[in-house]
């Protein structure tokens, strides 16, 4: 699409941010797809989360507690919890709508 990303920030778990959030498992999948099927300059894109202890990246991810939906990141020996987006709310959008493409309609 002609956009050169350096970092992709994951939305903070704050009130009214649900429309901009996805589960971390889906974020990891998007990152894997970028690395597998895109030019090498996109492979340097970082996925970054902001926490109360500073930024963390996928490399800091340790596990997600399935009971509490807290993702645990470990950075500098410290365990950093991050609320994952609830699975029942993580509904993928339609790509055609998100990219504003109009299929089957004449362009005026």
């Amino acid at each position: 699409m002609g956009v050169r990303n350096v970092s992709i920030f994951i939305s903070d778990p704050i009130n009214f941010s649900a429309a901009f959030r996805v589960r971390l498992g889906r974020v990891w999948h998007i990152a894997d797809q970028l690395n597998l099927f895109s030019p090498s300059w996109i492979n340097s894109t970082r996925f970054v989360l902001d926490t109360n202890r500073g930024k963390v990246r996928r490399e800091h991810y340790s596990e997600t507690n399935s009971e509490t939906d807290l993702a645990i990141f470990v950075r500098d020996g410290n365990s950093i919890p991050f609320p994952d987006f609830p699975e029942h709310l993580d509904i993928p959008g339609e790509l055609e709508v998100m990219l504003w493409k109009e299929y089957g309609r004449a362009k005026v």
Side-chain angles (χ1 to χ4, degrees):
M1 299 186 78
V3 177
R4 185 173 182 163
N5 294 310
V6 175
S7 294
I8 296 176
F9 288 91
I10 311 308
S11 297
D12 292 339
I14 59 174
N15 289 339
F16 309 107
S17 69
F20 305 102
R21 295 194 64 210
V22 297
R23 283 187 69 76
L24 292 175
R26 193 145 63 101
V27 172
W28 304 157
H29 177 73
I30 292 168
D32 291 343
Q33 295 300 303
L34 277 174
N35 287 332
L36 288 172
F37 301 110
S38 60
S40 61
W41 61 267
I42 291 179
N43 289 342
S44 63
T45 300
R46 298 175 298 162
F47 286 77
V48 182
L49 297 93
D50 201 11
T51 71
N52 60 355
R53 295 195 185 148
K55 292 180 176 36
V56 293
R57 296 174 53 180
R58 184 178 185 175
E59 296 82 43
H60 301 123
Y61 175 74
S62 175
E63 64 179 327
T64 298
N65 182 320
S66 60
E67 292 180 20
T68 62
D69 248 353
L70 283 177
I72 305 300
F73 292 83
V74 177
R75 194 190 75 204
D76 300 327
N78 295 309
S79 180
I80 304 169
F82 185 88
D84 203 353
F85 192 57
E87 188 169 8
H88 70 280
L89 295 177
D90 187 20
I91 303 168
E94 296 179 32
L95 189 58
E96 294 82 12
V97 173
M98 293 188 299
L99 296 178
W100 296 356
K101 292 184 178 179
E102 296 185 62
Y103 293 98
R105 294 175 61 184
K107 294 188 179 192
V108 180

